[in-house]
Amino acid sequence: MADIDIPPYFLCPISLEIMRDPVAVSTGITYDRENIEKWLFTGENTYCPVTKQVLLLETDDLTPNHTLRRLIQAWCTLNAIDRIPTPKPPVDKMQIVKLLNNAKSSVQSQMRSLRMLRSIASESDRNRRCMESAGAVEFLASLVKVTNSAAIEKNMGDNTNNEQVTNVSDEALSVLHYLQVSTTGLKNLMGKNIDFVEVLMQILRNGNYQSRAYAALLLRPMFEVADPNHLISLKQELFVEVVRYLRSQISNQASKASIQILVETCKWGRNRIKAVEAGAVSVLIEFLLETTDKRACEMILTVLDQLCGCAEGRAELLKHSAGLAVISKKILRVSHLASEKAVKILHSVAKFSATPIVLQEMLAVGVVAKLCLVLQVNSTTRTLEKAKEILKLHSRVWRSSPCVPRNLLSSYPSC
Protein backbone atom coordinates (compact mmCIF):
# COMPACT_ATOMS: atom_id res chain seq x y z
CA MET A 1 0.00 0.00 0.00
CA ALA A 2 3.04 2.26 0.46
CA ASP A 3 3.36 2.77 -3.35
CA ILE A 4 -0.34 3.60 -3.83
CA ASP A 5 -1.66 7.13 -3.44
CA ILE A 6 -4.31 6.98 -0.75
CA PRO A 7 -7.05 9.63 -0.99
CA PRO A 8 -6.46 11.98 1.96
CA TYR A 9 -10.09 11.83 3.06
CA PHE A 10 -9.64 8.08 3.66
CA LEU A 11 -7.09 8.82 6.38
CA CYS A 12 -7.93 9.40 10.02
CA PRO A 13 -6.86 12.97 11.03
CA ILE A 14 -5.41 11.64 14.29
CA SER A 15 -3.31 8.66 13.19
CA LEU A 16 -3.02 9.44 9.43
CA GLU A 17 -3.83 5.76 8.77
CA ILE A 18 -6.58 4.51 6.51
CA MET A 19 -9.88 4.34 8.40
CA ARG A 20 -11.47 1.00 9.19
CA ASP A 21 -14.62 2.23 10.91
CA PRO A 22 -15.22 5.89 9.99
CA VAL A 23 -17.48 7.79 12.40
CA ALA A 24 -18.47 11.48 12.48
CA VAL A 25 -18.49 13.62 15.61
CA SER A 26 -20.82 16.57 16.26
CA THR A 27 -18.40 19.02 14.57
CA GLY A 28 -18.80 17.15 11.26
CA ILE A 29 -15.25 15.77 11.19
CA THR A 30 -14.87 12.05 10.46
CA TYR A 31 -12.39 9.90 12.38
CA ASP A 32 -11.61 6.22 12.70
CA ARG A 33 -13.69 4.94 15.63
CA GLU A 34 -10.80 3.35 17.50
CA ASN A 35 -8.69 6.51 17.28
CA ILE A 36 -11.36 9.00 18.32
CA GLU A 37 -12.53 6.77 21.17
CA LYS A 38 -8.96 6.50 22.44
CA TRP A 39 -8.66 10.30 22.15
CA LEU A 40 -11.87 10.93 24.07
CA PHE A 41 -12.02 8.17 26.65
CA THR A 42 -8.46 7.06 27.29
CA GLY A 43 -6.85 10.46 26.76
CA GLU A 44 -9.83 12.09 28.53
CA ASN A 45 -9.95 14.91 25.99
CA THR A 46 -13.19 16.85 25.53
CA TYR A 47 -12.63 18.61 22.22
CA CYS A 48 -12.43 17.82 18.51
CA PRO A 49 -8.75 17.27 17.54
CA VAL A 50 -9.18 19.19 14.24
CA THR A 51 -11.54 22.07 15.08
CA LYS A 52 -10.69 22.28 18.81
CA GLN A 53 -14.41 22.70 19.53
CA VAL A 54 -15.77 21.17 22.73
CA LEU A 55 -17.56 17.86 22.15
CA LEU A 56 -20.57 17.29 24.37
CA LEU A 57 -21.17 13.65 23.56
CA GLU A 58 -21.41 10.11 24.82
CA THR A 59 -20.00 7.18 22.89
CA ASP A 60 -23.42 6.56 21.28
CA ASP A 61 -23.19 9.96 19.56
CA LEU A 62 -20.39 8.81 17.22
CA THR A 63 -22.30 8.54 13.94
CA PRO A 64 -21.12 5.83 11.49
CA ASN A 65 -20.14 7.28 8.11
CA HIS A 66 -21.45 4.43 5.95
CA THR A 67 -20.89 6.31 2.67
CA LEU A 68 -17.20 6.84 3.37
CA ARG A 69 -16.77 3.25 4.54
CA ARG A 70 -18.28 1.95 1.26
CA LEU A 71 -15.95 4.25 -0.72
CA ILE A 72 -12.93 2.91 1.19
CA GLN A 73 -14.05 -0.68 0.58
CA ALA A 74 -14.53 0.00 -3.14
CA TRP A 75 -11.14 1.69 -3.38
CA CYS A 76 -9.49 -1.32 -1.68
CA THR A 77 -11.11 -3.64 -4.25
CA LEU A 78 -10.00 -1.50 -7.24
CA ASN A 79 -6.43 -1.40 -5.97
CA ALA A 80 -6.26 -5.15 -5.20
CA ILE A 81 -5.94 -4.50 -1.48
CA ASP A 82 -7.54 -6.83 1.04
CA ARG A 83 -10.92 -5.43 1.96
CA ILE A 84 -11.10 -3.98 5.44
CA PRO A 85 -13.42 -6.20 7.51
CA THR A 86 -16.84 -4.76 8.21
CA PRO A 87 -16.66 -3.50 11.81
CA LYS A 88 -18.76 -5.02 14.53
CA PRO A 89 -21.62 -2.79 15.67
CA PRO A 90 -20.71 -1.07 18.97
CA VAL A 91 -22.11 -2.69 22.07
CA ASP A 92 -24.83 -0.71 23.85
CA LYS A 93 -25.72 -0.35 27.49
CA MET A 94 -28.82 -2.54 27.25
CA GLN A 95 -26.75 -5.47 25.97
CA ILE A 96 -24.42 -5.15 28.94
CA VAL A 97 -27.29 -4.92 31.43
CA LYS A 98 -28.83 -8.06 29.92
CA LEU A 99 -25.54 -9.97 30.26
CA LEU A 100 -25.17 -8.79 33.86
CA ASN A 101 -28.71 -9.97 34.65
CA ASN A 102 -27.98 -13.35 33.05
CA ALA A 103 -24.89 -13.63 35.23
CA LYS A 104 -27.10 -13.56 38.32
CA SER A 105 -28.66 -16.95 37.62
CA SER A 106 -27.06 -20.43 37.45
CA VAL A 107 -23.31 -21.08 37.49
CA GLN A 108 -23.45 -22.16 33.83
CA SER A 109 -25.20 -18.92 32.83
CA GLN A 110 -22.73 -16.93 34.88
CA MET A 111 -19.76 -18.46 33.06
CA ARG A 112 -21.29 -17.86 29.61
CA SER A 113 -22.12 -14.25 30.44
CA LEU A 114 -18.72 -13.57 31.99
CA ARG A 115 -16.88 -14.96 28.95
CA MET A 116 -18.95 -12.74 26.67
CA LEU A 117 -18.24 -9.75 28.89
CA ARG A 118 -14.50 -10.47 28.76
CA SER A 119 -14.65 -10.71 24.96
CA ILE A 120 -16.53 -7.40 24.75
CA ALA A 121 -14.07 -5.71 27.13
CA SER A 122 -11.07 -6.86 25.07
CA GLU A 123 -12.41 -5.29 21.85
CA SER A 124 -12.20 -1.56 22.54
CA ASP A 125 -11.94 1.17 25.12
CA ARG A 126 -15.41 2.32 24.12
CA ASN A 127 -16.82 -1.08 25.14
CA ARG A 128 -14.97 -0.95 28.45
CA ARG A 129 -16.39 2.48 29.32
CA CYS A 130 -19.87 1.35 28.27
CA MET A 131 -19.59 -1.68 30.55
CA GLU A 132 -18.44 0.47 33.44
CA SER A 133 -21.32 2.93 33.00
CA ALA A 134 -23.74 -0.03 33.01
CA GLY A 135 -22.56 -1.06 36.50
CA ALA A 136 -20.27 -3.93 35.48
CA VAL A 137 -17.48 -3.00 37.92
CA GLU A 138 -19.69 -3.05 41.02
CA PHE A 139 -21.42 -6.26 39.90
CA LEU A 140 -18.17 -8.10 39.17
CA ALA A 141 -16.58 -6.99 42.45
CA SER A 142 -19.65 -8.17 44.35
CA LEU A 143 -19.61 -11.49 42.49
CA VAL A 144 -15.93 -12.03 43.32
CA LYS A 145 -16.58 -11.16 46.96
CA VAL A 146 -19.51 -13.58 47.32
CA THR A 147 -17.93 -16.49 45.45
CA ASN A 148 -14.61 -16.05 47.21
CA SER A 149 -16.30 -16.12 50.62
CA ALA A 150 -18.19 -19.28 49.64
CA ALA A 151 -14.98 -20.97 48.48
CA ILE A 152 -13.16 -20.10 51.72
CA GLU A 153 -15.93 -21.45 53.92
CA LYS A 154 -15.88 -24.82 52.08
CA ASN A 155 -19.16 -25.82 53.62
CA MET A 156 -20.79 -27.01 50.42
CA GLY A 157 -19.49 -30.53 50.64
CA ASP A 158 -19.57 -30.88 46.84
CA ASN A 159 -16.08 -30.57 45.38
CA THR A 160 -17.43 -30.21 41.84
CA ASN A 161 -19.70 -27.37 42.86
CA ASN A 162 -16.87 -25.78 44.83
CA GLU A 163 -14.66 -25.86 41.75
CA GLN A 164 -17.40 -24.25 39.64
CA VAL A 165 -17.74 -21.41 42.15
CA THR A 166 -13.97 -20.87 42.06
CA ASN A 167 -14.06 -20.75 38.26
CA VAL A 168 -16.77 -18.05 38.41
CA SER A 169 -14.61 -15.98 40.76
CA ASP A 170 -11.55 -16.37 38.51
CA GLU A 171 -13.53 -15.42 35.40
CA ALA A 172 -15.01 -12.34 37.10
CA LEU A 173 -11.51 -11.29 38.19
CA SER A 174 -10.23 -11.63 34.63
CA VAL A 175 -13.09 -9.45 33.31
CA LEU A 176 -12.26 -6.78 35.89
CA HIS A 177 -8.63 -6.87 34.74
CA TYR A 178 -9.58 -6.50 31.05
CA LEU A 179 -11.96 -3.65 31.91
CA GLN A 180 -9.04 -1.36 32.82
CA VAL A 181 -11.26 0.32 35.40
CA SER A 182 -11.26 4.13 35.45
CA THR A 183 -9.83 6.19 38.33
CA THR A 184 -13.32 6.84 39.69
CA GLY A 185 -14.19 3.15 39.49
CA LEU A 186 -10.97 2.14 41.25
CA LYS A 187 -11.64 4.58 44.09
CA ASN A 188 -15.18 3.22 44.45
CA LEU A 189 -13.75 -0.30 44.76
CA MET A 190 -11.69 0.88 47.71
CA GLY A 191 -14.70 2.45 49.43
CA LYS A 192 -16.32 1.07 52.57
CA ASN A 193 -19.32 -0.24 50.62
CA ILE A 194 -17.17 -2.72 48.68
CA ASP A 195 -13.76 -2.78 50.40
CA PHE A 196 -12.33 -4.79 47.52
CA VAL A 197 -8.77 -4.57 48.88
CA GLU A 198 -9.74 -6.98 51.65
CA VAL A 199 -11.23 -9.38 49.08
CA LEU A 200 -8.11 -9.28 46.90
CA MET A 201 -5.94 -9.82 49.97
CA GLN A 202 -7.88 -13.02 50.74
CA ILE A 203 -7.38 -14.16 47.15
CA LEU A 204 -3.64 -13.52 47.39
CA ARG A 205 -3.61 -15.74 50.45
CA ASN A 206 -5.96 -18.55 49.40
CA GLY A 207 -6.41 -18.36 45.61
CA ASN A 208 -4.94 -20.47 42.84
CA TYR A 209 -2.02 -19.18 40.76
CA GLN A 210 -4.30 -17.52 38.18
CA SER A 211 -6.56 -15.70 40.65
CA ARG A 212 -3.54 -14.55 42.70
CA ALA A 213 -1.99 -13.05 39.56
CA TYR A 214 -5.20 -11.17 38.74
CA ALA A 215 -5.42 -9.97 42.35
CA ALA A 216 -1.93 -8.46 42.15
CA LEU A 217 -2.68 -6.88 38.77
CA LEU A 218 -5.86 -5.27 40.17
CA LEU A 219 -4.30 -4.04 43.41
CA ARG A 220 -1.57 -2.12 41.57
CA PRO A 221 -3.82 0.49 39.86
CA MET A 222 -6.00 0.73 42.98
CA PHE A 223 -3.05 1.79 45.11
CA GLU A 224 -1.83 4.18 42.41
CA VAL A 225 -5.01 6.27 42.79
CA ALA A 226 -5.68 5.59 46.49
CA ASP A 227 -6.11 8.34 49.04
CA PRO A 228 -3.07 8.66 51.37
CA ASN A 229 -5.33 8.09 54.39
CA HIS A 230 -6.20 4.69 52.98
CA LEU A 231 -2.58 3.78 52.27
CA ILE A 232 -1.27 4.61 55.73
CA SER A 233 -3.90 2.37 57.35
CA LEU A 234 -3.08 -0.79 55.36
CA LYS A 235 -2.81 -4.01 57.36
CA GLN A 236 0.43 -5.88 57.92
CA GLU A 237 -1.23 -8.89 56.31
CA LEU A 238 -1.31 -7.17 52.92
CA PHE A 239 2.48 -6.80 52.88
CA VAL A 240 2.91 -10.40 53.98
CA GLU A 241 0.76 -11.63 51.08
CA VAL A 242 2.34 -9.32 48.48
CA VAL A 243 5.84 -10.41 49.50
CA ARG A 244 4.77 -14.06 49.56
CA TYR A 245 3.38 -13.72 46.04
CA LEU A 246 6.54 -11.95 44.86
CA ARG A 247 8.64 -14.77 46.27
CA SER A 248 6.67 -17.34 44.23
CA GLN A 249 7.43 -15.53 40.91
CA ILE A 250 4.46 -17.21 39.22
CA SER A 251 3.92 -14.48 36.62
CA ASN A 252 6.43 -11.91 35.41
CA GLN A 253 3.71 -9.31 34.78
CA ALA A 254 2.08 -9.88 38.17
CA SER A 255 5.49 -9.84 39.89
CA LYS A 256 6.11 -6.38 38.45
CA ALA A 257 2.66 -5.36 39.66
CA SER A 258 3.58 -6.60 43.16
CA ILE A 259 6.78 -4.54 43.15
CA GLN A 260 4.78 -1.51 42.00
CA ILE A 261 2.38 -2.07 44.91
CA LEU A 262 5.37 -1.80 47.25
CA VAL A 263 6.55 1.34 45.43
CA GLU A 264 3.17 3.01 46.01
CA THR A 265 2.62 1.86 49.60
CA CYS A 266 6.15 2.26 50.97
CA LYS A 267 6.11 6.00 50.38
CA TRP A 268 4.61 6.15 53.87
CA GLY A 269 6.88 5.62 56.88
CA ARG A 270 4.92 3.05 58.87
CA ASN A 271 4.35 0.92 55.77
CA ARG A 272 8.11 0.60 55.36
CA ILE A 273 8.35 -1.16 58.71
CA LYS A 274 5.46 -3.45 57.72
CA ALA A 275 7.16 -4.33 54.43
CA VAL A 276 10.50 -5.01 56.13
CA GLU A 277 8.84 -7.21 58.74
CA ALA A 278 7.11 -9.10 55.91
CA GLY A 279 10.54 -10.00 54.47
CA ALA A 280 10.47 -7.61 51.50
CA VAL A 281 14.17 -6.70 51.56
CA SER A 282 15.59 -10.19 51.12
CA VAL A 283 13.00 -11.11 48.46
CA LEU A 284 13.75 -7.95 46.47
CA ILE A 285 17.50 -8.56 46.65
CA GLU A 286 17.02 -12.12 45.36
CA PHE A 287 14.82 -10.79 42.57
CA LEU A 288 17.45 -8.14 41.73
CA LEU A 289 20.14 -10.82 41.52
CA GLU A 290 18.16 -12.72 38.88
CA THR A 291 16.43 -10.11 36.73
CA THR A 292 17.89 -8.26 33.77
CA ASP A 293 14.69 -6.34 33.07
CA LYS A 294 15.38 -2.59 33.18
CA ARG A 295 12.01 -1.53 34.54
CA ALA A 296 12.00 -4.25 37.19
CA CYS A 297 15.48 -3.20 38.35
CA GLU A 298 14.41 0.44 38.61
CA MET A 299 11.31 -0.42 40.64
CA ILE A 300 13.17 -2.78 42.99
CA LEU A 301 15.87 -0.18 43.66
CA THR A 302 13.14 2.42 44.27
CA VAL A 303 11.53 0.19 46.92
CA LEU A 304 14.88 -0.66 48.53
CA ASP A 305 15.69 3.05 48.67
CA GLN A 306 12.41 3.63 50.50
CA LEU A 307 12.98 0.72 52.89
CA CYS A 308 16.55 1.81 53.65
CA GLY A 309 15.06 5.05 54.92
CA CYS A 310 14.46 3.17 58.17
CA ALA A 311 16.99 1.40 60.41
CA GLU A 312 15.15 -1.93 60.10
CA GLY A 313 15.42 -1.83 56.31
CA ARG A 314 19.14 -1.08 56.34
CA ALA A 315 19.74 -3.87 58.85
CA GLU A 316 17.99 -6.38 56.56
CA LEU A 317 19.98 -5.18 53.55
CA LEU A 318 23.27 -5.59 55.41
CA LYS A 319 22.19 -8.98 56.74
CA HIS A 320 21.92 -10.35 53.20
CA SER A 321 25.29 -11.62 51.97
CA ALA A 322 24.73 -10.16 48.49
CA GLY A 323 22.94 -6.96 49.53
CA LEU A 324 25.69 -4.35 49.11
CA ALA A 325 27.31 -6.17 46.20
CA VAL A 326 24.19 -6.34 44.01
CA ILE A 327 23.28 -2.71 44.74
CA SER A 328 26.76 -1.63 43.68
CA LYS A 329 26.64 -3.86 40.59
CA LYS A 330 23.55 -2.10 39.23
CA ILE A 331 25.22 1.33 39.26
CA LEU A 332 26.06 2.49 35.70
CA ARG A 333 24.69 -0.75 34.24
CA VAL A 334 20.92 -0.22 34.02
CA SER A 335 19.87 3.42 33.69
CA HIS A 336 20.40 6.87 35.22
CA LEU A 337 17.38 6.29 37.47
CA ALA A 338 18.69 2.92 38.68
CA SER A 339 22.12 4.43 39.39
CA GLU A 340 20.54 7.31 41.30
CA LYS A 341 18.47 4.97 43.48
CA ALA A 342 21.41 2.60 44.10
CA VAL A 343 23.70 5.45 45.17
CA LYS A 344 20.95 6.77 47.47
CA ILE A 345 20.72 3.35 49.13
CA LEU A 346 24.49 3.29 49.68
CA HIS A 347 24.32 6.85 51.00
CA SER A 348 21.75 5.80 53.62
CA VAL A 349 23.98 2.89 54.69
CA ALA A 350 27.17 4.98 54.74
CA LYS A 351 25.55 7.78 56.72
CA PHE A 352 23.49 5.88 59.28
CA SER A 353 24.77 2.28 59.48
CA ALA A 354 28.50 2.58 58.84
CA THR A 355 30.13 0.26 61.37
CA PRO A 356 33.78 -0.75 60.80
CA ILE A 357 32.60 -4.13 59.48
CA VAL A 358 30.22 -2.49 57.03
CA LEU A 359 32.91 -0.09 55.78
CA GLN A 360 35.29 -2.97 55.15
CA GLU A 361 32.59 -4.90 53.30
CA MET A 362 31.89 -1.87 51.09
CA LEU A 363 35.58 -1.88 50.18
CA ALA A 364 35.74 -5.63 49.63
CA VAL A 365 32.70 -5.93 47.32
CA GLY A 366 33.77 -2.97 45.17
CA VAL A 367 31.33 -0.31 46.37
CA VAL A 368 34.06 2.28 46.91
CA ALA A 369 35.67 1.60 43.52
CA LYS A 370 32.24 1.91 41.82
CA LEU A 371 31.58 5.25 43.54
CA CYS A 372 34.94 6.55 42.31
CA LEU A 373 33.96 5.44 38.80
CA VAL A 374 30.69 7.37 39.13
CA LEU A 375 32.75 10.55 39.53
CA GLN A 376 34.53 9.88 36.23
CA VAL A 377 31.54 9.24 33.99
CA ASN A 378 28.51 11.20 32.82
CA SER A 379 26.28 10.78 35.88
CA THR A 380 23.39 13.00 36.90
CA THR A 381 24.18 15.87 39.26
CA ARG A 382 22.24 14.33 42.12
CA THR A 383 24.01 10.98 41.79
CA LEU A 384 27.39 12.70 41.53
CA GLU A 385 26.84 14.72 44.71
CA LYS A 386 25.67 11.70 46.69
CA ALA A 387 28.68 9.64 45.56
CA LYS A 388 31.05 12.45 46.58
CA GLU A 389 29.42 12.76 49.98
CA ILE A 390 29.72 9.03 50.66
CA LEU A 391 33.42 8.99 49.73
CA LYS A 392 34.13 12.06 51.84
CA LEU A 393 32.31 10.62 54.87
CA HIS A 394 34.77 7.73 55.18
CA SER A 395 37.84 9.07 53.43
CA ARG A 396 40.13 8.12 56.33
CA VAL A 397 39.19 4.44 56.02
CA TRP A 398 38.95 4.11 52.26
CA ARG A 399 41.33 6.56 50.61
CA SER A 400 44.56 4.66 51.33
CA SER A 401 43.08 1.21 50.77
CA PRO A 402 44.71 -1.05 48.14
CA CYS A 403 41.16 -2.17 47.21
CA VAL A 404 40.67 1.07 45.27
CA PRO A 405 42.37 0.80 41.83
CA ARG A 406 45.05 3.43 41.18
CA ASN A 407 43.35 4.68 38.04
CA LEU A 408 40.24 5.48 40.12
CA LEU A 409 42.03 6.81 43.18
CA SER A 410 42.84 10.04 41.32
CA SER A 411 39.13 10.86 41.25
CA TYR A 412 38.70 10.36 45.01
CA PRO A 413 37.35 13.70 46.34
CA SER A 414 39.42 15.65 48.81
CA CYS A 415 37.94 16.28 52.24
Side-chain angles (χ1 to χ4, degrees), residues 208-231:
N208 57 40
Y209 78 93
Q210 187 177 30
S211 61
R212 291 171 68 202
Y214 280 128
L217 290 168
L218 285 166
L219 279 169
R220 178 192 57 77
M222 289 171 68
F223 286 141
E224 286 178 349
V225 302
D227 184 271
N229 290 327
H230 191 106
L231 292 176

Side-chain angles (χ1 to χ4, degrees), residues 358-409:
V358 169
L359 293 180
Q360 288 304 314
E361 183 181 353
M362 293 177 82
L363 267 173
V365 300
V367 169
V368 181
K370 182 60 74 75
L371 291 172
C372 289
L373 187 59
V374 167
L375 303 186
Q376 293 187 346
V377 300
N378 185 25
S379 302
T380 61
T381 303
R382 189 180 302 178
T383 303
L384 208 62
E385 291 304 315
K386 288 285 184 186
K388 279 184 180 179
E389 188 176 344
I390 296 169
L391 292 171
K392 285 181 179 180
L393 275 172
H394 305 291
S395 175
R396 290 183 180 179
V397 178
W398 291 339
R399 189 178 179 87
S400 59
S401 171
C403 292
V404 183
R406 288 184 175 275
N407 63 313
L408 296 178
L409 193 60

Side-chain angles (χ1 to χ4, degrees), residues 302-316:
T302 298
V303 180
L304 288 173
D305 176 34
Q306 293 169 335
L307 299 183
C308 284
C310 64
E312 294 85 351
R314 293 191 297 274
E316 287 298 311

Side-chain angles (χ1 to χ4, degrees), residues 219-385:
L219 279 169
R220 178 192 57 77
M222 289 171 68
F223 286 141
E224 286 178 349
V225 302
D227 184 271
N229 290 327
H230 191 106
L231 292 176
I232 60 178
S233 60
L234 293 172
K235 297 178 181 178
Q236 170 74 28
E237 184 184 1
L238 172 75
F239 295 91
V240 171
E241 297 306 330
V242 169
V243 170
R244 188 167 74 93
Y245 180 79
L246 188 57
R247 184 180 285 113
S248 67
Q249 296 189 26
I250 294 172
S251 158
N252 186 47
Q253 185 184 8
S255 292
K256 283 186 179 180
S258 301
I259 299 169
Q260 188 63 40
I261 289 170
L262 293 175
V263 171
E264 297 298 330
T265 55
C266 291
K267 294 174 182 177
W268 313 99
R270 184 57 194 161
N271 286 347
R272 296 173 187 176
I273 306 296
K274 295 173 185 176
V276 171
E277 291 176 350
V281 175
S282 62
V283 171
L284 290 169
I285 291 172
E286 294 297 330
F287 205 108
L288 197 60
L289 284 165
E290 296 174 7
T291 188
T292 56
D293 183 275
K294 175 184 171 183
R295 181 60 184 146
C297 286
E298 290 175 343
M299 289 193 297
I300 291 170
L301 289 167
T302 298
V303 180
L304 288 173
D305 176 34
Q306 293 169 335
L307 299 183
C308 284
C310 64
E312 294 85 351
R314 293 191 297 274
E316 287 298 311
L317 176 75
L318 294 172
K319 188 188 295 184
H320 197 290
S321 59
L324 288 174
V326 72
I327 299 299
S328 174
K329 183 179 179 182
K330 297 301 178 182
I331 298 174
L332 303 178
R333 287 195 176 191
V334 181
S335 66
H336 285 306
L337 176 61
S339 295
E340 180 182 322
K341 296 299 180 183
V343 171
K344 280 186 68 181
I345 293 167
L346 296 175
H347 182 267
S348 295
V349 171
K351 191 170 184 179
F352 302 110
S353 304
T355 64
I357 294 175
V358 169
L359 293 180
Q360 288 304 314
E361 183 181 353
M362 293 177 82
L363 267 173
V365 300
V367 169
V368 181
K370 182 60 74 75
L371 291 172
C372 289
L373 187 59
V374 167
L375 303 186
Q376 293 187 346
V377 300
N378 185 25
S379 302
T380 61
T381 303
R382 189 180 302 178
T383 303
L384 208 62
E385 291 304 315

Side-chain angles (χ1 to χ4, degrees), residues 151-186:
I152 289 174
E153 289 172 5
K154 295 182 180 178
N155 289 329
M156 291 174 285
D158 183 348
N159 290 334
T160 302
N161 194 23
N162 196 25
E163 185 178 345
Q164 289 176 335
V165 170
T166 302
N167 290 340
V168 168
S169 177
D170 291 350
E171 194 66 36
L173 275 173
S174 72
V175 180
L176 273 172
H177 171 61
Y178 280 102
L179 262 179
Q180 299 175 22
V181 183
S182 68
T183 299
T184 302
L186 290 169

